Amino acid sequence: MLLAVVLLSGVANAAATEPEFALVVRDHRFVPDEIVIPAGTRVRIVVENQDTTPEEFDSHALNREKMIVGRSKATIYIGPLSSGRYEFIGEFNAATARGVVIVK
Amino acid sequence: MTPTMNGTPLHARNVTLSSRLRAGAFACGLCASFAASLAWADPDDYVSTPAVEYGERELELRYGTATDPGGSRRDAGSIAFGYGATPWWFTEVYAKFQRAGGGSTHYDAVEWENKFQLTEPGEYPVDMGLLVEIEAPHDRAEGYELKLGPLFQKDFGLVQVNANAFLAHHVRSSEPGATDLSYQWQAKYRWREALEFGAQGFGEVGKWDNWDPAHEQKHIAGPALFGKVGVGGRQVINWNAGLLFKLSNAAPDRTFRAQLEVEF
């Protein structure tokens, strides 16, 4: 455990270098509803919920669940991923909040 | 220009992570200074994962049955309510029950479990969390049990691997003892949301600083299934079950364990 603390402390002090992508939740929809990212690369998706109600980014393909409170932002890290399509939904409004990460 | 991440100055984000890590290291050091014996883990034990879902509310049911080396059977179960109180803290309270041999089912203990997400999933090569449990048994002679340890998770494509290690000790016990070391692990292939399959294992090696001989240690492992089913709106049922077999002489011959979580 102490070794893990030391290792992660060192990593935490390193500057962030992942590519960043923006995703907006507006009127219970994701904008854009497609994000294209490079294969084999860890990326950072900053999700801004512009609605007043919470939304949950949910993707089995990406193995990610993240609550974003209304009028706030959250960061989701994904990858490195192999080429393909990875779907995600907004669990609170699954009928309309749908999107896909396309990895090329 | 000050480097930022998600609008937050990088140094501030690192302070938050470093603070969580220092708190975790202090808690682990504190636990290692105590001493008590740890009975074999309950057959309804489960593998913890480091991620916390903010605002999640869940009802949890657990059941396990184990056939001990002597042929006797031991059953355990629990019911719990859990809540994601913050983006990095999940707290859960359990009522635990047991039945040994042909006896009746009786109330065994109340447990307060706290999980702390130390890193954002995928931000670092390994996801990390910390589990801290306090158990107050019905039999006060057993003393209060404090258990804590790190939680690790890493994805290899569609394969998710978890590995955890715990130190446990009893306070105010009628019998002195030592701090014991246990572990748990699982690996699963995330085939479909409704069905994932893999394996799980649990074990105890004895005192953390003086392991028992191999024939006295307890190790079990076996296949496991996992799944998640939406039942309307935000309500979700998560389930998993494992059939575990002894890998050491002192371990139960067979253990079946299952867990059901209803998120609402």
Side-chain angles (χ1 to χ4, degrees):
Chain A
M1 174 64 178
L2 291 178
L3 177 61
V5 170
V6 171
L7 289 174
L8 285 179
S9 293
V11 174
N13 289 325
T17 58
E18 306 96 351
E20 180 174 305
F21 295 83
L23 185 64
V24 170
V25 177
R26 185 188 307 141
D27 298 330
H28 306 318
R29 295 178 185 277
F30 288 110
V31 179
D33 59 4
E34 280 189 5
I35 299 176
V36 181
I37 70 171
T41 305
R42 181 167 63 226
V43 305
R44 188 167 65 242
I45 300 176
V46 178
V47 185
E48 179 185 2
N49 185 0
Q50 296 181 351
D51 292 340
T52 58
T53 55
E55 185 58 86
E56 182 173 302
F57 180 99
D58 187 358
S59 173
H60 178 261
L62 297 169
N63 203 15
R64 294 287 181 270
E65 282 184 286
K66 185 74 174 181
M67 168 76 76
I68 306 111
V69 177
R71 301 290 194 201
S72 72
K73 293 182 181 179
T75 300
I76 300 169
Y77 294 87
I78 60 174
L81 297 170
S82 54
S83 299
R85 295 172 59 91
Y86 300 79
E87 296 182 347
F88 59 87
I89 64 170
E91 188 176 279
F92 285 57
N93 300 278
T96 55
R98 310 187 75 87
V100 60
V101 173
I102 300 173
V103 182
K104 293 183 175 179
Chain B
M1 181 169 130
T2 302
T4 63
M5 183 184 296
N6 190 22
T8 302
L10 195 61
H11 70 275
R13 181 180 178 81
N14 290 342
V15 166
T16 300
L17 171 61
S18 296
S19 297
R20 294 188 203 174
L21 292 173
R22 284 196 296 271
F26 173 76
C28 285
L30 195 63
C31 180
S33 69
F34 288 91
S37 288
L38 175 67
W40 171 239
D42 292 332
D44 65 335
D45 207 359
Y46 74 105
V47 178
S48 300
T49 59
V52 168
E53 193 174 330
Y54 179 37
E56 174 189 330
R57 296 170 299 186
E58 71 171 36
L59 287 175
E60 179 181 320
L61 298 173
R62 296 195 335 229
Y63 170 74
T65 181
T67 304
D68 290 333
S72 62
R73 180 173 153 176
R74 194 160 50 92
D75 300 325
S78 62
I79 182 168
F81 172 75
Y83 178 60
T86 76
W88 49 270
W89 175 37
F90 184 83
T91 187
E92 195 160 21
V93 177
Y94 291 85
K96 305 175 73 171
F97 303 87
Q98 281 207 355
R99 179 174 61 185
S104 60
T105 301
H106 64 274
Y107 162 68
D108 182 54
V110 62
E111 179 182 291
W112 182 30
E113 178 183 291
N114 294 276
K115 179 169 69 174
F116 301 96
Q117 178 181 305
L118 299 181
T119 64
E120 198 63 38
E123 183 177 7
Y124 301 109
V126 177
D127 301 340
M128 196 169 156
L130 178 70
L131 191 78
V132 180
E133 288 180 4
I134 301 173
E135 182 178 293
H138 177 69
D139 181 359
R140 294 302 186 201
E142 294 181 21
Y144 296 91
E145 178 185 280
L146 174 63
K147 183 168 101 172
L148 66 89
L151 312 175
F152 300 100
Q153 177 171 318
K154 184 168 178 66
D155 289 345
F156 300 90
L158 286 178
V159 176
Q160 175 183 306
V161 178
N162 294 90
N164 311 319
F166 301 115
L167 296 175
H169 75 278
H170 289 249
V171 294
R172 297 186 183 178
S173 170
S174 61
E175 296 183 7
T179 301
D180 285 342
L181 176 64
S182 64
Y183 69 87
Q184 51 181 228
W185 62 268
Q186 74 182 15
K188 66 175 182 178
Y189 181 71
R190 298 186 309 103
W191 181 54
R192 297 284 188 270
E193 189 167 53
L195 182 62
E196 302 171 335
F197 49 88
Q200 293 178 327
F202 300 82
E204 293 179 8
V205 299
K207 300 175 186 178
W208 74 280
D209 57 349
N210 186 17
W211 291 16
D212 291 339
H215 67 275
E216 293 181 15
Q217 297 180 18
K218 304 176 182 70
H219 305 282
I220 59 174
L225 297 175
F226 312 79
K228 177 179 177 180
V229 180
V231 292
R234 291 190 55 217
Q235 296 183 12
V236 170
I237 294 177
N238 290 299
W239 63 272
N240 66 87
L243 182 61
L244 311 170
F245 302 92
K246 66 187 299 180
L247 300 180
S248 61
N249 289 335
D253 292 336
R254 288 178 309 278
T255 301
F256 171 77
R257 54 151 305 278
Q259 179 183 28
L260 188 74
E261 297 175 337
V262 180
E263 295 181 15
F264 60 97

